[in-house]
Amino acid sequence: MIATTYLSDGWEFIETRLDKPGAIIGYSDAEWLTATVPGHIHLDLLEHGIIPNPHEQMNEMGVQWVDQTDWSYRCKFEWEPDADAPKRVLLFDGLDTICTISLNGKKVGEHDNMFVGFEIDVTKSLKPGENELRIDFKSALNEGQARMSKYFKAEGLPANVERFEERSFVRKVQCMFGWDWGPRLVSCGVWRPIRLIEYASRIVSLSATQAWQMDGSVILTAHVESEGPGELDYELKVGEEVFVSATGKFHIENPPLWWPADVGDQPLAILTAGISDPENEWRDDWKSIKVGFRQIKLLREKDEIGESFEFEINGKKIYAKGFNWIPDFSFPSAITRARTEERLTQAYDLGTNMLRVWGGGMYESDDFYDICDELGIMVWQDFMHACAYYPDSDHWQTVATQEATTNIKRLRHHASLALWCGNNENLQMWQGKWNWLNYAQPPRFYGEKLYDEVYAALVKELDPERSYIHTSPCGDVEKDCNAGKVGDSHYWDAWHGRGDWKYYLDSTARFSSEYGFASSCTIATWEETLNEEDWDYRGPAVRWHDKTRKGYDTFTGFIELHYPKSETLEDWTYYSQLNQRDALRMGVEHFRRTAYCRGSLIWQLNDIWPAQSWAVIDSTGRYKAAAHEISRRLYAQRLYSFERVKEKLLIHYVDDRIEGESDGILFMVTATDLSSGEELAEWEFRFEGEPGDRKVIGEIDLTGLSVPDTLIFGWGPYGDAWHLMGEPKEMNFAEPGSILGSNSLIQDAHEEPFMGDRFAIQIDHPVVDLMLSVDGDTGVFIDNFLTFDEAGVYELVVTNSITHFEARSLAGEHQTRLTRSPL
């Protein structure tokens, strides 16, 4: 049998100087202090009150010293030998990052890669009774700088090279060194569990690959690494059927197919491998994984435009809708399964069928990919290189080989895994000669050998059923890999280039794998982040949480193109979020109704800390205005949208179904006077909706309608769309009327019971972008940032019963009142 002991208790930490062994510096009479494992040094220092929360106010600036020194961790544990388990290893699931491991005062190992777990044989190092495990972490910042200087000298490079930084020389989460949406909190620590494993025989790892046959059957092959005597056996449970094998190969003739979300179901089979002594009736050890049967391809085919970039699942071409994913917290050790499940469920709620795990983050936890398998969210997986040059000498190729091999084997069985990608934007950086700091340009594309040779060969060898691209964007590799018409595109002309979001209409992306527009986090998140004296949207604390590098006047200028000038932090939060919503509406609608674009991955889904960023869900999990719009309509399977062309308003219909019947659809449109609520005109459009449609179903002549007074509103059986004829800051809204709310609803006797809370509001005028909150928290209202074209009673979904609420629209602040009577 196998015995596993988690070493999670009794840990302590201290600041040390590893260049002077035994020296302790920094405090008078310094002591070892209690630590949390798994954890990070910043979290331990915060727990003891030594540093403030680096996510609040401008505290990030004051904790930079933490990364400039070394830290040690230790724990003591009791152990007694078991004759039935003569082998003993310490398994480290994750150490961050550069460290030496000692057991009972003797060095037993070293480690230097946050992305790779490893183990140390301690069979001869353990002693009966008390044992002490110690881990000494070097400063990743200092070590990275030292390695960079040494490498530059060997390569004949000057002291400073553009986009070639200390982080390139440390294999850890790159954005922990700071990014244009996140803080510089490099940190260190035991970030994943440590286990003492005792055994005679064991299963070290289990993965699986699929080989599809011409007749539609599939051969599933289990790949097992085992240790010790015994026989291997395999079991595969597919639905209610159980198959057994002595070889690890299973031929499944009619496999139940796994599909992405909104296309089909996600059946998962359970593969188990065990090792046992033939004389015993039980297994000494076993492992199980879940597999989904599907074929997935990235299609890149020459055509009259350029070259396609499109995913095919089980022979069906899929439109990819989703987001880029970054680490969900500054200190990855604190990201629990519950937090991961919450964020991925939110992505699913937003209509996601693909997430891109971005190359400046990390290979995510097993929980992440398991949940994606269950939800039907495809994963585009970058290798961990982003926006920098990287050393690619023989030594660094060996490092890359170990890292990639470990993670390919770990992830390749997942049904959700759709694509491997070598890096984020590194070829684009090289072609464009990015020059932010006016440093010297490198003489060659450092890192190219990793992406073009090492990773390409490893994916082909270890995961041949998956496609691999060497970089993203991956267009014209000779001239401009981000030019459009070929491969995927990172479309940043809106925001980073010409600025305003109207330029999304100029994109010729075949697959838009990055695009976005920044906004403030929610007011409730600001309240948890700022002090009262910081409550100024142009103040230093609020600006500190803007890492976009646009310049704050430019940032505010983008919003003021369309919305009134902000006077308060509440104004800024509201208007910037609406502007982000408008930007993404323009982008998503354009990319989805364009016949040659086959994917939309917004930058970005989530945030690493409280920030003004491109995320649509802020760091506390609260939806911004854009998230509500995406969930409600932008990523719906069928989408109606308006496109203004001078005095004409085109009406578009998009249908992402891959099969099904055509159906007759009636789409109604009205023009309404915003001040009086009077209906000015009405139109009807009847058409047949068919799977795969991207078409114009009608147009409206706007001649004669008053630009600052008119709201165009359309609705059909699959959603709605609306359009203000002028800029929001120029519209003539009615004075904000009183809004009546009620938790009491008149329920139809024949209606199915509703699981959850509902809330009704009554409005007396058309209202645009109605934001509802309770004590500033918009998250209470699952339906929010709403537009209604006429007075009436509207039913909303809320998280709990409402006792009071606030309301704001583009007309201004509304008075609110609660009644106990049904509306």
Side-chain angles (χ1 to χ4, degrees):
M1 297 295 289
I2 187 167
T4 300
T5 303
Y6 281 85
L7 301 184
S8 55
D9 297 326
W11 283 90
E12 299 175 309
F13 76 97
I14 199 167
E15 182 183 5
T16 53
R17 285 285 301 274
L18 298 183
D19 57 341
K20 297 180 180 179
I24 299 174
I25 61 172
Y27 315 103
S28 299
D29 299 322
E31 298 179 358
W32 287 85
L33 302 175
T34 58
T36 298
V37 167
H40 273 89
I41 185 59
H42 285 81
L43 300 178
D44 289 325
L45 293 169
L46 177 61
E47 178 67 21
H48 284 278
I50 298 172
I51 63 170
N53 190 328
H55 280 186
E56 296 178 359
Q57 301 171 272
M58 300 172 67
N59 294 338
E60 175 201 355
M61 186 190 304
V63 302
Q64 294 303 301
W65 65 271
V66 176
D67 296 323
Q68 297 166 3
T69 189
D70 303 323
W71 299 94
S72 294
Y73 281 75
R74 72 180 184 186
C75 79
K76 295 177 181 180
F77 61 96
E78 295 290 327
W79 175 80
E80 295 296 335
D82 181 352
D84 292 331
K87 291 280 289 182
R88 297 114 194 182
V89 297
L90 280 174
L91 179 57
F92 300 85
D93 287 335
L95 296 177
D96 179 12
T97 291
I98 306 168
C99 60
T100 301
I101 301 97
S102 302
L103 183 62
N104 298 323
K106 295 183 179 180
K107 176 181 172 182
V108 292
E110 294 180 327
H111 193 57
D112 193 9
N113 195 320
M114 183 179 178
F115 304 128
V116 176
F118 75 110
E119 62 182 43
I120 299 173
D121 188 332
V122 293
T123 302
K124 296 181 180 180
S125 302
L126 288 170
K127 64 181 183 180
E130 185 179 78
N131 291 261
E132 181 180 275
L133 175 64
R134 174 166 170 156
I135 306 173
D136 295 311
F137 289 98
K138 289 185 178 181
S139 162
L141 186 64
N142 295 343
E143 187 67 13
Q145 291 170 343
R147 292 175 180 180
M148 180 178 69
S149 296
K150 183 178 179 180
Y151 189 85
F152 282 10
K153 184 176 181 180
E155 290 286 311
L157 297 172
N160 295 307
V161 178
E162 190 72 35
R163 310 302 298 179
F164 213 167
E165 305 163 5
E166 74 273 357
R167 67 178 174 87
S168 299
F169 296 84
V170 184
R171 294 309 298 149
K172 66 172 286 163
V173 173
Q174 297 288 273
C175 64
M176 294 177 79
F177 290 85
W179 219 265
D180 58 2
W181 36 256
R184 185 177 174 88
L185 299 168
V186 181
S187 206
C188 69
V190 181
W191 81 286
R192 282 180 171 164
I194 300 175
R195 293 170 281 167
L196 171 62
I197 300 177
E198 303 171 77
Y199 60 94
S201 301
R202 63 170 174 152
I203 302 291
V204 178
S205 67
L206 170 63
S207 63
T209 54
Q210 301 175 24
W212 287 81
Q213 309 301 299
M214 294 295 292
D215 61 1
S217 65
V218 62
I219 296 175
L220 180 78
T221 301
H223 301 275
V224 170
E225 295 179 22
S226 64
E227 185 180 353
E231 295 181 355
L232 294 172
D233 66 277
Y234 305 87
E235 177 183 290
L236 181 66
K237 185 177 181 182
V238 183
E240 297 302 316
E241 290 190 88
V242 177
F243 305 88
V244 295
S245 170
T247 65
K249 285 186 180 293
F250 299 88
H251 190 180
I252 308 301
E253 293 188 356
N254 295 295
L257 296 180
W258 183 96
W259 292 95
D262 84 1
V263 177
D265 297 328
Q266 294 80 42
L268 296 171
I270 301 174
L271 173 65
T272 301
I275 188 170
S276 57
D277 186 327
E279 297 180 1
N280 297 330
E281 296 180 358
W282 59 84
R283 289 169 171 160
D284 291 322
D285 190 20
W286 59 274
K287 289 187 184 296
S288 292
I289 57 176
K290 293 182 179 180
V291 296
F293 299 109
R294 86 287 169 271
Q295 299 182 74
I296 186 164
K297 298 178 182 178
L298 173 63
L299 303 179
R300 303 189 65 180
E301 300 169 340
K302 300 289 185 181
D303 56 27
E304 67 279 4
I305 300 169
E307 183 180 274
S308 67
F309 193 102
E310 180 176 26
F311 288 92
E312 181 184 270
I313 315 294
N314 301 325
K316 303 289 186 180
K317 295 179 179 179
I318 304 294
Y319 192 95
K321 302 187 290 284
F323 300 87
N324 287 263
W325 172 276
I326 66 171
D328 203 48
F329 193 64
S330 290
F331 308 109
S333 60
I335 303 173
T336 62
R337 179 184 173 91
R339 183 183 179 110
T340 299
E341 187 168 23
E342 176 190 2
R343 204 65 71 244
L344 290 175
T345 301
Q346 289 175 321
Y348 177 85
D349 173 62
L350 268 57
T352 296
N353 65 18
M354 176 174 278
L355 290 173
R356 174 177 176 240
V357 179
W358 166 76
M362 62 187 182
Y363 309 95
E364 282 290 338
S365 65
D366 292 338
D367 290 333
F368 177 93
Y369 302 95
D370 287 342
I371 296 166
C372 286
D373 289 346
E374 294 165 5
L375 294 176
I377 297 176
M378 297 179 289
V379 176
W380 165 327
Q381 180 66 56
D382 281 3
F383 288 101
M384 292 300 116
H385 304 272
C387 302
Y389 297 104
Y390 287 86
D392 55 8
S393 61
D394 290 346
H395 166 74
W396 288 101
Q397 289 182 53
T398 300
V399 170
T401 296
Q402 181 194 22
E403 178 184 312
T405 298
T406 298
N407 285 287
I408 293 171
K409 287 182 176 180
R410 179 172 72 94
L411 302 181
R412 63 186 174 185
H413 71 274
H414 284 283
S416 56
L417 183 60
L419 178 70
W420 292 101
C421 174
N423 66 77
N424 173 76
E425 297 185 344
N426 290 356
L427 178 59
Q428 181 187 5
M429 170 192 67
W430 166 247
Q431 289 179 333
K433 301 294 185 273
W434 288 4
N435 190 17
W436 291 5
L437 298 175
N438 293 318
Y439 289 165
Q441 290 290 330
R444 67 176 180 88
F445 181 17
Y446 281 91
E448 185 175 22
K449 295 176 183 177
L450 307 181
Y451 324 131
D452 290 4
E453 299 174 19
V454 175
Y455 297 149
L458 287 171
V459 172
K460 184 177 181 180
E461 174 191 354
L462 300 174
D463 195 13
E465 65 176 293
R466 296 308 192 311
S467 297
Y468 172 78
I469 58 175
H470 64 113
T471 189
S472 178
C474 65
D476 186 338
V477 297
E478 299 298 329
K479 297 179 180 178
D480 184 356
C481 63
N482 198 36
K485 297 185 180 181
V486 174
D488 71 313
S489 297
H490 294 192
Y491 194 79
W492 286 108
D493 196 17
W495 182 266
H496 281 309
R498 288 176 288 174
D500 192 26
W501 41 260
K502 68 182 181 181
Y503 296 112
Y504 284 127
L505 296 179
D506 294 340
S507 172
T508 57
R510 307 304 302 269
F511 189 109
S512 190
S513 53
E514 270 196 31
Y515 66 101
F517 222 89
S519 74
S520 168
C521 59
T522 62
I523 279 291
T525 299
W526 281 130
E527 289 176 342
E528 297 167 3
T529 304
L530 304 175
N531 285 341
E532 185 176 351
E533 62 268 22
D534 301 322
W535 208 254
D536 176 2
Y537 85 99
R538 283 190 171 273
V542 173
R543 287 186 287 111
W544 186 263
H545 288 258
D546 167 33
K547 304 289 188 181
T548 64
R549 298 176 63 89
K550 274 318 284 185
Y552 214 57
D553 288 339
T554 302
F555 190 178
T556 57
F558 286 162
I559 283 78
E560 290 169 9
L561 287 172
H562 308 284
Y563 287 91
K565 180 180 175 63
S566 297
E567 301 295 335
T568 65
L569 181 58
E570 288 84 356
D571 289 345
W572 170 248
T573 299
Y574 179 64
Y575 292 141
S576 69
Q577 286 194 18
L578 291 182
N579 191 67
Q580 180 192 41
R581 186 275 318 274
D582 294 346
L584 294 181
R585 179 163 60 189
M586 176 72 79
V588 172
E589 290 177 351
H590 171 68
F591 293 129
R592 287 194 64 191
R593 65 192 176 211
T594 303
Y596 54 78
C597 181
R598 297 299 296 164
S600 160
L601 301 182
I602 294 168
W603 184 274
Q604 64 215 62
L605 176 72
N606 56 328
D607 252 334
I608 204 167
W609 78 319
Q612 310 204 64
S613 81
W614 298 273
V616 301
I617 300 175
D618 75 15
S619 61
T620 62
R622 295 180 174 102
Y623 282 17
K624 298 184 185 180
H628 288 284
E629 180 82 354
I630 295 165
S631 174
R632 198 159 43 231
R633 57 177 295 272
L634 290 180
Y635 274 173
Q637 191 174 55
R638 305 200 206 189
L639 172 67
Y640 311 106
S641 63
F642 292 130
E643 181 185 11
R644 182 81 170 267
V645 182
K646 297 182 179 180
E647 293 304 307
K648 301 289 185 182
L649 193 66
L650 304 183
I651 307 168
H652 292 265
Y653 172 72
V654 171
D655 189 335
D656 279 340
R657 292 179 297 159
I658 62 172
E659 58 187 10
E661 301 294 328
S662 63
D663 53 353
I665 297 175
L666 171 63
F667 188 71
M668 299 289 298
V669 183
T670 59
T672 301
D673 186 281
L674 286 167
S675 297
S676 67
E678 176 188 358
E679 184 178 294
L680 304 173
E682 179 181 274
W683 301 267
E684 292 186 3
F685 300 91
R686 297 181 184 273
F687 65 99
E688 290 292 314
E690 299 184 4
D693 266 348
R694 274 156 176 76
K695 62 187 179 185
V696 175
I697 61 171
E699 66 177 47
I700 294 171
D701 187 352
L702 302 176
T703 304
L705 294 173
S706 173
V707 169
D709 297 295
T710 306
L711 166 68
I712 307 295
F713 195 93
W715 68 97
Y718 303 108
D720 58 34
W722 58 271
H723 172 76
L724 289 176
M725 287 187 56
E727 297 291 357
K729 66 181 181 181
E730 299 168 350
M731 302 303 290
N732 295 323
F733 298 102
E735 289 297 313
S738 178
I739 296 180
L740 188 63
S742 175
N743 291 297
S744 299
L745 304 173
I746 299 175
Q747 183 142 338
D748 190 315
H750 301 290
E751 185 178 347
E752 289 292 323
F754 180 79
M755 301 301 293
D757 290 283
R758 293 188 292 187
F759 185 70
I761 58 171
Q762 180 175 304
I763 59 174
D764 56 12
H765 274 87
V767 61
V768 178
D769 285 326
L770 178 65
M771 180 183 73
L772 301 166
S773 60
V774 175
D775 296 328
D777 188 356
T778 55
V780 176
F781 291 86
I782 295 175
D783 297 318
N784 217 331
F785 294 90
L786 301 159
T787 292
F788 303 110
D789 67 326
E790 59 183 358
V793 175
Y794 297 92
E795 189 175 298
L796 313 177
V797 180
V798 293
T799 59
N800 51 264
S801 184
I802 303 296
T803 59
H804 61 284
F805 69 104
E806 305 92 39
R808 174 177 187 162
S809 73
L810 285 176
E813 302 282 348
H814 295 259
Q815 291 187 343
T816 62
R817 184 167 62 87
L818 207 64
T819 178
R820 294 186 177 182
S821 302
L823 297 179

